[in-house]
């Protein structure tokens, strides 16, 4: 099986490295030549362009920022993958995009004899590096089963959620839970500190109870350290929540909490913190209180 990967950003690069480590014959393409060179050093092959990758791979993976980027690479322009892809190729989009776009891309590729899975991930850069991402997958069950092992080379959880688009619907639900959870942790930690209780003691006391969560375990220490180096940037979470709002409009789903957290993130973006990790929601509370969270 020859695998092609387009997109070697914060997530795509370590995911590609894990594929090479697991012995996959990998060809990569990205506009960032330094990232491509890094993968080549690990054992991957470099494609000159998306045409070369499309012509030489049995499975094509993408890890790109948003819906327009995936559409552009796959469907638009002279070097669009769809122009050169072989019939019978499987396309797996690991990007987090609007589920409507996933279905549109799938329909267009089906005319070329290409079947698609949408397989967004959760876990951020740390889990991309150690290969323990959670994959949420939509698409035909037989195609999913045939490629579950491939995705498992990059993640510890690979779950089919339904037909095409279901993966991205699930990812949007995931991003709602994560965003609101981070905001709740920020709010609670600041309340505790202002009330005279050390945030670290609060964290130690509640993490083993009902309030405990993977989100809190990952983000509370970052908040206390004032370490907002991005594992998942505020700007990317705004992008995901924008897709949440768009998807919710279609089915008339209420989003009062999500909408509020999204506004908080937008304020941070305007303050110049869009490139920070989403744990920087704590900065919103620090701005309101004039106090910095500490250990």
């Amino acid at each position: 099986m020859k695998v092609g990967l387009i997109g070697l950003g914060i997530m795509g690069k370590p995911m590609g490295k894990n594929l090479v480590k697991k012995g996959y014959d990998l060809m990569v393409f990205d506009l960032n030549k330094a990232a491509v060179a890094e993968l080549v050093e690990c054992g991957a092959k470099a494609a000159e362009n998306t045409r070369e990758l499309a012509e030489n791979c049995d499975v094509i993976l993408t890890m790109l920022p948003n819906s327009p980027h995936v559409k552009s690479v796959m469907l638009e322009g002279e070097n669009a993958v769809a122009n050169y892809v072989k019939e019978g190729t499987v396309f797996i989009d690991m990007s987090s995009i609007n589920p409507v776009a996933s279905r549109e891309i799938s329909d267009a590729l089906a005319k070329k004899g290409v079947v698609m899975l949408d397989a967004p991930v959760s876990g951020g850069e740390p889990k991309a590096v150690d290969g323990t991402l959670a994959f949420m997958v939509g698409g035909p069950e037989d195609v999913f089963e045939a490629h579950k092992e491939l995705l498992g080379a990059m993640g510890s959880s690979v779950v089919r959620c339904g037909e095409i688009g279901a993966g991205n619907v699930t990812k949007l639900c995931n991003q709602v839970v994560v965003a609101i959870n981070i905001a709740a942790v920020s709010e609670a930690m600041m309340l505790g500190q202002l009330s005279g209780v050390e945030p670290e003691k609060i964290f130690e006391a509640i993490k083993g109870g009902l309030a405990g969560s993977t989100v809190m375990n990952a983000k509370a220490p970052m908040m206390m350290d004032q370490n907002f180096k991005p594992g998942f940037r505020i700007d990317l979470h705004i992008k995901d929540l924008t897709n949440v709002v768009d998807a919710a409009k279609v089915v008339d789903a209420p989003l009062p909490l999500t909408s509020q957290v999204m506004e908080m993130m937008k304020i941070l973006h305007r303050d110049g913190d869009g490139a920070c990790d989403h744990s920087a929601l704590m900065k919103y509370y620090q701005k309101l209180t004039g106090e910095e969270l500490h250990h």
Side-chain angles (χ1 to χ4, degrees), residues 4-7 15 59-71 73-74 90-99 101-103 105-106 109 114-121 135-138 151 154 164-165 167-168 171 239:
L5 171 60
I6 301 170
M15 292 166 77
V59 179
I60 296 171
L61 310 173
T62 48
M63 192 62 181
L64 298 167
N66 205 354
S67 310
H69 306 90
V70 181
K71 283 187 173 182
V73 164
M74 297 304 297
V90 172
F91 170 51
I92 305 177
D93 179 32
M94 304 183 298
S95 319
S96 296
I97 69 173
N98 193 311
S102 294
R103 297 181 187 114
I105 295 166
S106 177
L109 291 175
V114 175
V115 65
M116 175 179 169
L117 299 175
D118 65 307
V121 302
F135 282 86
M136 296 149 269
V137 189
L151 297 177
M154 299 172 282
I164 192 72
N168 272 305
K171 176 58 187 290
K239 178 266 293 185

Side-chain angles (χ1 to χ4, degrees), residues 25 36 52 60 72 90 103 115 128 130 137 181 187 232 243 274:
D25 184 359
V36 172
E52 181 183 0
I60 296 171
S72 176
V90 172
R103 297 181 187 114
V115 65
D130 62 23
V137 189
N181 202 334
E187 195 164 298
F232 192 82
N243 285 335

Side-chain angles (χ1 to χ4, degrees), residues 173-242:
C173 295
N174 179 87
Q175 295 304 81
V176 167
V177 172
V178 170
I180 294 171
N181 202 334
I182 294 174
V185 171
S186 301
E187 195 164 298
M189 289 294 185
M190 185 57 74
L191 167 66
Q193 180 169 298
L194 292 172
S195 302
V197 181
E198 292 297 323
E200 192 160 9
K201 294 298 183 183
I202 296 169
F203 176 50
E204 288 175 7
I206 70 176
K207 68 181 181 181
L210 188 59
S213 68
T214 301
V215 170
M216 184 167 69
N217 289 345
K219 303 304 177 181
M222 294 178 70
M223 294 172 185
M224 290 184 286
D225 290 339
Q226 294 294 300
N227 169 24
F228 302 119
K229 179 184 176 183
F232 192 82
R233 296 191 300 272
I234 288 279
D235 283 345
L236 282 177
H237 215 135
I238 291 172
K239 178 266 293 185
D240 284 346
L241 295 185
T242 300

Side-chain angles (χ1 to χ4, degrees), residues 11 67 89 119 226 257 262 267 274-275 288 292:
M11 299 290 288
S67 310
T89 298
Q226 294 294 300
L257 296 177
M262 186 173 177
I267 289 170
L288 291 180
E292 190 172 282

